[in-house]
């Protein structure tokens, strides 16, 4: 009887470990490679800001409906451009996972590179200016440039008089 318990426990553990492989989650669909490719260009509109094919909210009805609509459009033979236009008309341009590389959205693609080059140029300019700046010559014996030894002695005498009282 004592040998049966460990074997039963291992069997139960193996069953629970294999269950996710056998059971398909609710709402999961078999997507073709083309549907996965096209779905990867859209954002799930449930508010998670994840790519449509990778939305991992449990029971996300929005992604399931969007993927179903995508599959139906593909089975009807619609082109990728037609499907994209359909989603854009339904959800607006925020459905794009990345901005399109045309029109004003092209600025979103170009600005990071432009700012990188400008920033690098500014850093190089500032460093070169710092390197060209003349090194301050060693100050006189007093340690402070522009103060003569006579003025320093007068200031010390005055400080001495004022602190003796």
């Amino acid at each position: 009887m004592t040998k049966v318990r460990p074997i039963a426990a291992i069997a139960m553990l193996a069953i629970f470990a294999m269950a996710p492989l056998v059971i398909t989650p609710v709402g999961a669909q078999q997507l073709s490679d083309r549907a996965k490719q096209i779905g990867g260009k859209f954002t799930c509109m449930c508010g998670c800001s994840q790519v449509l094919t990778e939305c991992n909210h449990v029971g996300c009805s929005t992604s399931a409906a969007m993927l179903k609509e995508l599959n139906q459009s593909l089975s009807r033979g619609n082109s990728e451009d037609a499907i994209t236009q359909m989603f854009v008309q339904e959800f607006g341009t925020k459905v794009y996972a990345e901005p399109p590389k045309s029109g004003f959205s092209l600025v979103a693609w170009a600005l990071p590179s432009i700012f990188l080059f400008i920033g690098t140029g500014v850093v190089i300019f500032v460093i070169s200016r710092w390197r060209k700046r003349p090194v301050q010559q060693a100050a006189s014996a007093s340690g402070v440039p522009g103060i003569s030894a006579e003025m320093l002695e007068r200031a010390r005498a005055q400080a001495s008089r004022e602190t003796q009282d």
Side-chain angles (χ1 to χ4, degrees), residues 78-127:
N78 291 353
S79 68
E80 184 176 336
D81 291 334
I83 295 170
T84 301
Q85 288 304 316
M86 177 185 67
F87 277 115
V88 169
Q89 286 176 354
E90 187 174 343
F91 299 107
T93 56
K94 62 185 177 183
V95 77
Y96 287 122
E98 60 183 36
K101 296 176 183 167
S102 63
F104 185 71
S105 296
L106 191 59
V107 173
W109 288 99
L111 281 182
S113 299
I114 292 170
F115 286 144
L116 176 69
F117 288 123
I118 290 173
T120 303
V122 167
V123 168
I124 290 171
F125 175 75
V126 168
I127 290 174

Side-chain angles (χ1 to χ4, degrees), residues 38-54:
I38 295 172
K41 296 180 180 181
F42 300 120
T43 302
C44 180
M45 299 309 293
C46 70
C48 68
S49 299
Q50 293 182 357
V51 175
L52 177 60
T53 55
E54 297 174 5

Side-chain angles (χ1 to χ4, degrees), residues 132-152:
K132 290 179 182 175
R133 198 168 32 176
V135 178
Q136 296 290 337
Q137 295 296 326
S140 61
S142 65
V144 181
I147 297 178
S148 66
E150 179 185 327
M151 287 178 66
L152 183 61

